[in-house]
Amino acid sequence: MTELIHLNSLHLNYLSPLLKWRVMDLESLRRECFQIPKYKNFYRVIRNLEKKKVLEGYRDPFSKKKFIYLSPLGESQLSIRENTNALSKDTLLHDIKVSEIVRALLEQNLIVNAELEHQIHDKKTFNNDFGITPDAVLYLEKHGKKIKAALELELTRKSNQRITEKARQYLDSSFYQKIIYVFSQKELMKKYQEVLLEKFGDDIIKRIHFFYHPELTFKPTNFESVVTYIDGHQMSLKDFFIPK
């Protein structure tokens, strides 16, 4: 039988940001709390919740940061949703990076708002306008226009069929004005470009944009270093959001 954990107001203050961001490093989670606690007290409570299986943790081997996310037990006791969807360990690195990228975009005022995949799934229960579900929806203003951009983080190679089918769904939808693919490898980005250009032609570059950063998975996000090349000229992801 699953043990019932009584979460008090202190626990809710510490854990509520995880309902939005899913997975966070300890310091980022502490800063997101409604009342920012002292680190020693915060860490003690987090460790206790790990022992009680409300939380699970992951230590990044490169940054040495400790990341925290809700376990299935924690999801079931904290979420207001009837059907919870706990993080999968198979996609943990991907989900960590998506969360980091989106939070950094917001912190640097490059976007107005954002929704992660699990939030989009919740909305789709009531609203089918989203259609295809990206890793995140980014809301931004560009040249005085409000834009909804789909963010796709690609760390591993998909089959050509999966690549083209997802792109087709985006191109057939009018919900997203821009689709942003971000890669950790230049060669992986080039492969996606080749597959999609061959399938759909040069017109896709008006809506689909490709960026990469070779150290994306193990260094802090610097959007001036996340780049692409257009007509032989380098363009950063920061430049994309704030055109000069």
Side-chain angles (χ1 to χ4, degrees):
M1 180 180 295
T2 302
E3 180 186 359
L4 179 63
I5 307 298
H6 296 286
L7 299 177
N8 58 36
S9 59
L10 179 67
H11 296 140
L12 294 176
N13 180 35
Y14 289 6
L15 300 182
S16 291
L18 293 175
L19 290 175
K20 179 177 182 179
W21 297 115
R22 300 284 273 166
V23 55
M24 304 176 74
D25 66 272
L26 282 175
E27 181 56 22
S28 295
L29 176 58
R30 189 178 74 90
R31 293 200 310 267
E32 284 267 336
C33 293
F34 179 70
Q35 292 180 331
I36 300 177
K38 292 183 178 179
Y39 186 84
K40 185 177 180 180
N41 297 337
F42 171 76
Y43 185 74
R44 184 176 65 250
V45 172
I46 294 297
R47 285 290 299 135
N48 185 49
L49 291 172
E50 276 191 275
K51 290 177 181 177
K52 291 182 176 180
K53 308 300 183 184
V54 173
L55 292 172
E56 295 185 13
Y58 166 77
R59 178 76 64 179
D60 184 273
F62 299 106
S63 67
K64 308 303 180 184
K65 288 183 179 180
K66 175 73 174 287
F67 289 86
I68 290 293
Y69 56 99
L70 292 168
S71 68
L73 172 62
E75 281 272 3
S76 67
Q77 298 203 24
L78 196 65
S79 177
I80 61 173
R81 293 176 293 163
E82 182 177 352
N83 297 313
T84 58
N85 183 25
L87 280 178
S88 168
K89 291 183 179 180
D90 294 336
T91 61
L92 187 56
L93 178 60
H94 173 275
D95 293 333
I96 286 172
K97 206 63 205 178
V98 170
S99 180
E100 285 188 333
I101 288 172
V102 175
R103 283 188 284 113
L105 287 169
L106 285 167
E107 289 169 2
Q108 296 177 36
N109 296 315
L110 297 178
I111 59 176
V112 177
N113 199 4
E115 293 169 306
L116 299 188
E117 183 179 10
H118 67 287
Q119 296 172 299
I120 301 166
H121 277 300
D122 288 347
K123 276 196 168 183
K124 285 178 70 175
T125 302
F126 306 100
N127 184 347
N128 290 322
D129 289 344
F130 283 90
I132 185 172
T133 304
D135 291 325
V137 180
L138 309 178
Y139 298 89
L140 58 140
E141 293 186 5
K142 193 171 182 180
H143 300 301
K145 295 182 179 180
K146 294 182 178 180
I147 293 174
K148 293 185 291 291
L151 174 68
E152 292 286 351
L153 176 63
E154 300 291 352
L155 301 181
T156 58
R157 169 70 189 273
K158 308 295 192 303
S159 69
N160 288 4
Q161 182 178 354
R162 286 183 64 187
I163 294 171
T164 56
E165 179 56 31
K166 193 160 197 178
R168 184 188 300 281
Q169 289 178 285
Y170 278 127
L171 293 171
D172 288 344
S173 170
S174 60
F175 186 81
Y176 304 103
Q177 289 78 48
K178 298 289 183 180
I179 301 95
I180 302 169
Y181 281 88
V182 179
F183 303 86
S184 60
Q185 303 172 50
K186 185 177 182 180
E187 290 305 313
L188 184 59
M189 179 185 76
K190 290 173 66 176
K191 176 55 65 176
Y192 271 65
Q193 288 175 315
E194 290 171 6
V195 169
L196 294 181
L197 286 170
E198 180 180 351
K199 184 69 176 179
F200 301 109
D202 292 342
D203 284 347
I204 67 165
I205 63 176
K206 296 176 182 177
R207 288 186 65 194
I208 301 181
H209 306 270
F210 306 87
F211 295 87
Y212 82 97
H213 184 14
E215 298 178 338
L216 186 69
T217 57
F218 58 91
K219 279 198 173 182
T221 303
N222 176 0
F223 295 116
E224 292 182 351
S225 301
V226 182
V227 299
T228 192
Y229 292 90
I230 300 175
D231 297 329
H233 299 285
Q234 180 174 300
M235 178 183 182
S236 74
L237 189 56
K238 184 174 182 178
D239 291 334
F240 174 84
F241 287 114
I242 306 180
K244 297 179 180 178

